[in-house]
Amino acid sequence: MSALHWNVFLSAAQPPPITSRKKGPPGDKLKMILGLGTFVFIIAALIFLKTFVFGAYKAPSGSMAPTLVIGDHFFVSKLAYKGSIPDRGDVIVFKYPMDESLDYVKRVIAREGENVTINDGIVYVNNKRIKEDYVQFLGSEYGIKVPPMRNFGPVTIPPGKLFVLGDNRDSSSDSRYWGFVPMENVKGKALFIYWSENEDRVRSDRIGGKIH
């Protein structure tokens, strides 16, 4: 066999060269694992916060105007009343006693054992007029249509219950119409507005406003 044929034979008989798959640096895999772990942690933390710490709600009507108006989105602290009860003047979110699938937002006016009377729109608790700089009488076009009720009571708040009113007193379905709020229905305390808009624009002047 000639040298030329011999070289051709040897070339054909040799197995193809083994090529190694290019591997990234060992740190790439660690970075990927850490990134995935961080993502999972963030999602779990958000779920935990939404479930146990904060709730996000939207004002459905003008019954709390001007404190909350239609289009206001606000945060609620779910931990505010763990081991305590709301103070007079707190704005709370609660399950509507007549239909617990609905959430209402109103202001606490009186707590258990206190006596409430309303005379010509002025509220008295335990026979003393309370200061209410937030109250407006804006009319039914701003919220739920209910007959104005500027005279009410006297009533004594039962144990474990709250008496609540809307700030827009002539347009609020509240304790004057359907009774008291059981403490177990309270979901939390309204904190601040994180977004506000109407049909035409973003109301930047309301964003970040503390609810009080």
Side-chain angles (χ1 to χ4, degrees):
M1 180 180 292
S2 67
L4 177 60
H5 289 86
W6 180 252
N7 288 336
V8 173
F9 173 76
L10 289 177
S11 297
Q14 290 178 355
I18 299 175
T19 58
S20 60
R21 181 176 297 174
K22 187 177 180 180
K23 296 181 179 180
D28 286 354
K29 186 174 182 180
L30 179 60
K31 289 179 181 177
M32 183 179 69
I33 293 173
L34 289 175
L36 181 60
T38 301
F39 176 76
V40 172
F41 173 80
I42 291 173
I43 295 300
L46 290 174
I47 293 174
F48 174 83
L49 289 173
K50 187 177 186 301
T51 303
F52 300 104
V53 182
F54 293 108
Y57 295 87
K58 179 180 178 181
S61 75
S63 67
M64 282 296 294
T67 305
L68 291 168
V69 298
I70 297 173
D72 281 348
H73 299 249
F74 58 97
F75 279 127
V76 165
S77 169
K78 296 183 178 182
L79 300 179
Y81 305 121
K82 297 299 181 183
S84 65
I85 61 177
D87 291 324
R88 181 180 305 123
D90 285 0
V91 177
I92 63 171
V93 170
F94 55 92
K95 292 184 288 187
Y96 176 43
M98 301 294 101
D99 181 356
E100 294 192 354
S101 67
L102 301 176
D103 291 331
Y104 271 28
V105 55
K106 303 292 176 185
R107 191 179 295 274
V108 176
I109 299 301
R111 310 187 298 178
E112 62 177 56
E114 294 182 320
N115 183 277
V116 175
T117 304
I118 304 175
N119 289 328
D120 196 24
I122 299 173
V123 179
Y124 299 84
V125 175
N126 297 333
N127 299 316
K128 293 181 180 180
R129 178 177 179 175
I130 63 174
K131 185 178 180 180
E132 294 191 293
D133 296 336
Y134 43 78
V135 169
Q136 298 288 329
F137 298 91
L138 300 176
S140 61
E141 66 268 27
Y142 288 89
I144 302 168
K145 293 184 178 180
V146 291
M149 189 183 295
R150 297 191 181 186
N151 295 286
F152 177 85
V155 295
T156 299
I157 317 306
K161 302 293 178 65
L162 300 169
F163 185 90
V164 299
L165 296 174
D167 289 354
N168 182 5
R169 292 290 157 83
D170 280 351
S171 184
S172 175
S173 173
D174 49 41
S175 288
R176 295 171 294 175
Y177 300 92
W178 41 256
F180 310 107
V181 177
M183 267 302 301
E184 58 266 26
N185 283 34
V186 176
K187 303 183 78 169
K189 179 180 180 180
L191 298 177
F192 64 91
I193 298 167
Y194 68 88
W195 184 256
S196 182
E197 62 182 349
N198 59 17
E199 296 178 355
D200 301 318
R201 64 180 180 89
V202 174
R203 294 182 292 224
S204 57
D205 58 311
R206 296 188 64 82
I207 296 175
K210 186 178 179 182
I211 299 170
H212 53 75

